[in-house]
Amino acid sequence: MTTHKGGCHCGKIAYEFDGEIGTVMDCNCSLCQKRGGLLQFIPASAFRLATSRDDLGTYKFNKHSIAHHFCKHCGIAPFSEGADPKGNKMVAINVRCVDGIELHTLDVKPFDGRDR
Ligand SMILES: [Zn+2]
């Protein structure tokens, strides 16, 4: 198991998570299309926020089931929090915000989030 680090641009949001980065989602929902994130979902238990929640801005829309966090200072959106259909807490990592990631090595799959 690999431990990855990531965060926002200015450093006020930093995190670690355990897992392999494999297939990532390029979602076409109204938020992701504008924001341009590439998402990988992991169990919340594998995620550790290393910085204060006070620096997180949070945006919710549509069903308000996912908390889309962004940095109040630099505006980058490195992760979101939600739950899978069974109610298990999940974190959506924006893999663009993971340290040392080589975007061209990722397996990017389109995800049709527009109609959900
Ligand atoms: Zn920041």
Side-chain angles (χ1 to χ4, degrees):
M1 185 96 71
T2 309
T3 299
H4 294 281
K5 293 184 180 199
C8 70
H9 189 261
C10 73
K12 295 268 190 187
I13 300 176
Y15 55 65
E16 287 186 350
F17 64 96
D18 302 318
E20 306 308 322
I21 295 176
T23 302
V24 301
M25 276 175 22
D26 184 9
C27 176
N28 69 354
C29 83
S30 55
L31 178 64
C32 291
Q33 178 152 322
K34 293 195 179 205
R35 192 173 63 171
L38 292 172
L39 302 179
Q40 174 157 339
F41 283 84
I42 61 167
S45 58
F47 179 85
R48 296 176 296 280
L49 185 65
T51 50
S52 170
R53 285 198 165 254
D54 292 346
D55 292 311
L56 295 180
T58 300
Y59 178 64
K60 294 183 177 182
F61 70 109
N62 196 8
K63 293 174 190 162
H64 289 241
S65 54
I66 301 179
H68 300 279
H69 299 305
F70 57 91
C71 176
K72 288 180 180 174
H73 308 276
C74 70
I76 300 297
F79 74 106
S80 302
E81 293 176 301
D84 71 10
K86 291 177 184 162
N88 300 306
K89 288 191 172 178
M90 303 292 287
V91 171
I93 300 288
N94 180 1
V95 298
R96 287 181 180 271
C97 296
V98 175
D99 295 351
I101 202 77
E102 295 287 354
L103 291 173
H104 68 272
T105 65
L106 299 174
D107 184 17
V108 178
K109 290 270 191 295
F111 178 78
D112 187 12
R114 184 170 290 161
D115 302 318
R116 295 178 192 227

